C-alpha cells in the first residue's frame, strides 16, 4: 500500500500537501527551541526519550537504569551548548567555547545531593546536574575559580547542591 498524502493525512498549503506528522514535528521543534535555545534539536529527542525510558523502567521494576551520567551530559549539551568529548576521554566531559567542562550528575536514588569533584582533572567549569525523584532535570554551571580549595584525600572536593547558586 502506498503512503500518499491527501485530505485524510495532510493539508494543502501553498500548492502542496503537508503531512500532519511534519506539522506536529515543527510545533515540537518550536517548543524545544523555546525551552532549549542553545540546543542541537536532534539531541533533545534523544534526551527526552532517555529520561522517559529511565522513568518508565523505574516505575515498572523499582530499579534504576545506569544512564544518569549520560542524561546529565546530554542535558549539558542541550541547555548550555557543551560539545561532548568521546566516551571515557580523560580530563573533562566536554568543551564550552575555550573552557573544558566536567559534568557531575546527582541521580534520583542518591541519599544526599552531594557530588565529589577530583580537582586534579583538567576543567575550568563544572556542570552539576540534578535528576530528582520525579525525573525532573536541572543544572548549575560553576566556574572552577568559584570553587573552594580541595580538602581531604586526593585533592577532592565535595559540593552540596543546595549550597551552589544557580
Amino acid at each position: 500500500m502506498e503512503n500518499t498524502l491527501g485530505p485524510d493525512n495532510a493539508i494543502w498549503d501553498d500548492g502542496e500537501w503537508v503531512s500532519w506528522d511534519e506539522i506536529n514535528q515543527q510545533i515540537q521543534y518550536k517548543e524545544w527551541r523555546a525551552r532549549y535555545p542553545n540546543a542541537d534539536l536532534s539531541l533533545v529527542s534523544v534526551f527526552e526519550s532517555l529520561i522517559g525510558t529511565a522513568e518508565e523502567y523505574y516505575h515498572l521494576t523499582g530499579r534504576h537504569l545506569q544512564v544518569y551520567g549520560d542524561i546529565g551530559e546530554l542535558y549539558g549539551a542541550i541547555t548550555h551548548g557543551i560539545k561532548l568529548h568521546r566516551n571515557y576521554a580523560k580530563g573533562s566531559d566536554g568543551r564550552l567555547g575555550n573552557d573544558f567542562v566536567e559534568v557531575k550528575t546527582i541521580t534520583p536514588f542518591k541519599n544526599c545531593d552531594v557530588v565529589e569533584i577530583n580537582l586534579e582533572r583538567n576543567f575550568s567549569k563544572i556542570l552539576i546536574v540534578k535528576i530528582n525523584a520525579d525525573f525532573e532535570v536541572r543544572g548549575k554551571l560553576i566556574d572552577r575559580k568559584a570553587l573552594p580549595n580541595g580538602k581531604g584525600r586526593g585533592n577532592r572536593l565535595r559540593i552540596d547542591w543546595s549550597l551552589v547558586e544557580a
Side-chain angles (χ1 to χ4, degrees):
M1 177 178 244
E2 198 173 310
N3 208 6
T4 58
L5 296 178
D8 293 335
N9 62 0
I11 62 169
W12 185 258
D13 183 41
D14 200 26
E16 65 181 335
W17 289 104
V18 180
S19 75
W20 286 111
D21 288 340
E22 188 175 335
I23 292 168
N24 289 335
Q25 182 181 40
Q26 291 302 317
I27 292 168
Q28 181 69 71
Y29 273 38
K30 283 186 180 200
E31 290 172 0
W32 287 343
R33 181 60 65 210
R35 187 170 179 193
Y36 306 113
N38 298 319
D40 172 349
L41 293 182
S42 63
L43 294 179
V44 177
S45 64
V46 174
F47 168 77
E48 290 194 349
S49 293
L50 198 53
I51 192 77
T53 299
E55 181 178 14
E56 183 178 5
Y57 182 81
Y58 175 73
H59 291 304
L60 289 172
T61 67
R63 298 187 330 227
H64 289 278
L65 292 172
Q66 300 300 309
V67 296
Y68 298 112
D70 293 324
I71 290 170
E73 290 179 8
L74 278 170
Y75 179 82
I78 66 173
T79 58
H80 295 286
I82 295 170
K83 302 293 183 213
L84 298 173
H85 297 319
R86 63 179 166 37
N87 286 343
Y88 308 109
K90 299 270 186 217
S92 64
D93 294 307
R95 281 185 86 108
L96 184 57
N98 292 327
D99 293 312
F100 288 106
V101 181
E102 178 75 9
V103 179
K104 291 292 188 181
T105 304
I106 300 169
T107 61
F109 57 85
K110 197 165 182 189
N111 291 336
C112 62
D113 291 343
V114 174
V115 295
E116 187 172 288
I117 302 165
N118 180 351
L119 294 174
E120 293 176 1
R121 294 198 63 179
N122 181 28
F123 65 92
S124 50
K125 294 186 183 292
I126 183 163
L127 176 64
I128 301 174
V129 177
K130 180 178 178 183
I131 305 168
N132 70 17
D134 295 323
F135 292 85
E136 298 165 333
V137 185
R138 294 186 4 227
K140 297 178 182 181
L141 187 64
I142 309 160
D143 282 328
R144 184 177 185 143
K145 291 179 260 177
L147 298 175
N149 291 330
K151 298 179 179 99
R153 288 188 333 217
N155 204 17
R156 295 185 180 276
L157 176 66
R158 291 173 56 84
I159 299 178
D160 189 314
W161 170 266
S162 65
L163 300 178
V164 177
E165 294 188 31

